[in-house]
C-alpha cells in the first residue's frame, strides 16, 4: 500500500489500523468471559485479539501486500466463525450446536472485520486505488469521522 502523503492509501492504512485495533481490544476484553465457557473459547478470543493488535501495528509500521492479505484471511476466518456461532452454534463446548444470540459488541466488531476485509481485498485486487490522490480537505474530515465511528 502506498504511503505517499496525500493519497487514499495513506489515509486508509490508519482506518484499517484502527479497525484492527478496535477488534483486537474487544476480543481481548471478552477473553475472560469466554474462558469461563471453555479454555478453547477463551484461547480463541485471546489469539484472535493479539493477532488483530499485531495486524494494527503492521498497518502502521509496514503496510504492504502481506499485511493486506493477512487482514483479509484473519477477518474472513473470524467473521465465518461468528456466522457459524450465531446460526448453528459452535461444534464443541457446553452449548455445542446451540446458536448464540447477537449482541451489540459482537455485531459491531464483525462489522469492523467485514470493512477491514473488504477494503484490504479491494486494495489487493486494485492497488491503484490506494495511489489515487486525496485532497486534504476531504482526507482530514474523513479520518476524523472514521476514527470517531470506531471509537464510539
Amino acid at each position: 500500500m502506498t504511503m505517499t502523503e496525500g493519497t487514499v492509501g495513506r489515509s486508509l492504512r490508519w482506518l484499517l489500523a484502527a479497525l484492527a485495533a478496535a477488534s483486537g481490544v474487544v476480543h481481548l476484553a471478552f477473553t475472560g468471559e469466554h474462558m469461563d465457557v471453555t479454555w478453547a473459547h477463551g484461547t480463541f478470543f485471546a489469539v484472535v485479539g493479539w493477532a488483530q493488535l499485531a495486524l494494527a501495528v503492521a498497518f502502521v509500521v509496514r503496510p504492504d501486500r502481506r499485511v493486506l492479505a493477512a487482514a483479509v484471511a484473519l477477518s474472513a476466518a473470524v467473521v465465518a466463525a461468528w456466522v457459524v456461532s450465531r446460526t448453528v452454534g459452535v461444534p464443541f463446548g457446553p452449548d455445542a450446536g446451540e446458536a448464540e444470540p447477537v449482541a451489540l459488541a459482537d455485531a459491531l466488531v464483525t462489522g469492523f472485520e467485514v470493512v477491514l476485509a473488504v477494503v484490504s481485498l479491494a486494495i489487493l485486487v486494485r492497488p491503484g486505488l490506494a495511489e489515487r490522490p486525496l485532497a486534504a480537505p476531504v482526507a482530514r474530515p474523513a479520518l476524523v469521522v472514521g476514527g470517531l465511528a470506531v471509537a464510539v
Side-chain angles (χ1 to χ4, degrees), residues 41-111:
H41 286 76
T43 301
F44 173 79
F45 269 71
V47 169
V48 167
W50 283 111
Q52 289 171 324
L53 288 179
L55 191 61
V57 170
F59 272 120
V60 173
V61 175
R62 192 179 180 111
D64 60 15
R65 294 186 62 78
R66 291 176 299 180
V67 174
L68 291 166
V72 172
L74 178 60
S75 297
V78 174
V79 168
W82 182 83
V83 168
V84 168
S85 71
R86 298 312 183 266
T87 55
V88 296
V90 293
F92 57 89
D95 299 323
E98 190 174 309
E100 296 178 34
V102 175
L104 176 62
D106 62 77
L108 185 63
V109 168
T110 302

Side-chain angles (χ1 to χ4, degrees), residues 4 8 12 22 25 33 53 63 65 76 98 100 102 113 136 138 145:
T4 308
V8 172
L12 279 180
V25 167
E33 182 179 313
L53 288 179
R65 294 186 62 78
E98 190 174 309
E100 296 178 34
V102 175
E113 291 161 343
V138 174
V145 170

Side-chain angles (χ1 to χ4, degrees), residues 11 15 18 37-38 44 90 103 108 116 121 125-126 140 149:
S11 299
L15 176 63
V37 177
T38 68
F44 173 79
V90 293
L108 185 63
L116 180 59
L121 184 61
V125 172
R126 301 215 33 214
R140 287 195 184 5

